[in-house]
Amino acid sequence: MTALITRLARDAAAPIGQMGERLLKMATLLFVAMCCLFFASVFLTIALYTFIQTFEGTAIAALGVGALYVGVGLICIILALRSSAPPGSAASVAAAPVETDEKRPEPSPEFATNIDGTIAPILDILRDGGFERERLAVEAGATIAKQLNPFSVVAFATVAGFMLGRVLGRRDPPGDAAA
């Protein structure tokens, strides 16, 4: 049972790791782009403006320098927003976590008692409402949670929340099907 949960958690955490890696790359590229735009505007504007002004005049010099900076900035932003490695590629497979056989500490009995006390009112409501399948699902989830330590339960709930959010985010609104 623990191997199944470990595998599910590892498989569910892989998209989160890939998303974090893409966000880090994008933030780095945006930071470099902003630094380049800032330093370029400070050091080159005066020199370029003065150089062009001697040949073409003040207005053309200002337009030329502005257009150059807008072009460089747009190129950097486009590069930052482009996704680098699609899921399933060699780069994303190489970044997969390595499985270890290290022994996890057993959860405390107080933790299991706390779980039982927390879900008891929920089970009573489900039993009174006639939701037998839902009651069994909650009991199964509590049994799994008792086998994990508190940190693993929080991590598992977070991963499950991300997965549920992605599934709910992909659904089309009911009004779109009729249109």
Side-chain angles (χ1 to χ4, degrees):
M1 182 70 127
T2 303
L4 172 68
I5 294 171
T6 303
R7 191 189 71 188
L8 287 174
R10 186 181 65 244
D11 291 345
I16 295 169
Q18 292 169 356
M19 181 179 62
E21 184 179 66
R22 284 192 306 263
L23 282 174
L24 181 63
K25 286 179 183 178
M26 184 174 70
T28 303
L29 285 172
L30 285 173
F31 177 74
V32 169
M34 296 306 285
C35 287
C36 287
L37 289 173
F38 175 75
F39 288 117
S41 67
V42 170
F43 291 110
L44 294 177
T45 301
I46 297 170
L48 185 60
Y49 179 79
T50 305
F51 179 75
I52 295 174
Q53 185 183 19
T54 59
F55 295 111
E56 297 295 327
T58 305
I60 298 297
L63 286 172
V65 171
L68 176 70
Y69 292 142
V70 167
V72 171
L74 289 176
I75 289 171
C76 289
I77 290 171
I78 288 170
L79 288 175
L81 296 178
R82 230 177 58 185
S83 64
S84 58
S89 67
S92 63
V93 171
V98 178
E99 195 172 324
T100 60
D101 292 333
E102 114 185 0
K103 189 76 171 169
R104 292 194 177 14
E106 291 295 320
S108 65
E110 296 88 24
F111 181 66
T113 305
N114 190 12
I115 291 175
D116 287 335
T118 303
I119 67 161
I122 297 170
L123 292 176
D124 291 340
I125 291 170
L126 292 174
R127 186 177 299 114
D128 293 343
F131 298 105
E132 190 61 29
R133 289 186 309 175
E134 290 80 0
R135 185 186 64 79
L136 291 173
V138 170
E139 284 180 348
T143 304
I144 292 171
K146 288 178 193 176
Q147 296 175 0
L148 303 173
N149 60 24
F151 179 75
S152 299
V153 171
V154 171
F156 186 73
T158 303
V159 169
F162 277 117
M163 290 173 52
L164 180 64
R166 292 184 104 187
V167 167
L168 292 177
R170 289 184 184 163
R171 288 187 181 167
D172 293 332
D176 288 347

